[in-house]
Amino acid sequence: VTSFGPTTTTFVQPEPIPSPRDFVLWSLFNTIFCNPFCLGFIALVFSVKARDRKIAQDPAAASTFGRTAKQLNIAALFLSIITFTLFIVLLVLYYSNP
């Protein structure tokens, strides 16, 4: 007579690796609305490269391209805000003096 005992199966789930960000929407926004020196377009190119590398399961390259896209987006947004603010100030100064 053969007896079988209870079977115990243990499954250890690995830690999930966070997916690198690609900043495509922010890059698209900057391409359309805030595009000084074509920085928004260049950020969009790097964002698409980051997304391609993420799909190709290359998180190191995706992270590098994503970081570059983020830095370009910050620069584009900063320059756009400075330019817009300067334009408003000059416009107010021009029309406030008779």
Side-chain angles (χ1 to χ4, degrees), residues 7-92:
T7 305
T8 305
T9 305
T10 305
F11 177 72
V12 178
Q13 188 170 358
E15 284 291 320
I17 299 172
S19 180
R21 303 209 35 205
D22 52 23
F23 303 103
V24 171
L25 291 178
W26 189 14
S27 298
L28 190 61
F29 173 82
N30 281 340
T31 300
I32 295 171
F33 298 110
C34 310
N35 202 10
F37 308 113
C38 293
L39 289 177
F41 179 72
I42 297 168
L44 183 62
V45 168
F46 277 97
S47 296
V48 170
K49 285 183 178 185
R51 181 162 286 185
D52 288 345
R53 291 290 88 205
K54 188 169 34 170
I55 290 172
Q57 301 296 322
D58 186 4
S63 176
T64 303
F65 286 131
R67 192 175 321 110
T68 304
K70 179 182 177 182
Q71 292 168 349
L72 288 169
N73 280 321
I74 289 170
L77 191 61
F78 179 74
L79 287 173
S80 295
I81 289 171
I82 295 292
T83 304
F84 183 72
T85 305
L86 187 64
F87 177 73
I88 295 295
V89 167
L90 291 175
L91 199 64
V92 167

Side-chain angles (χ1 to χ4, degrees), residues 2-8:
T2 324
S3 64
F4 296 101
T7 305
T8 305

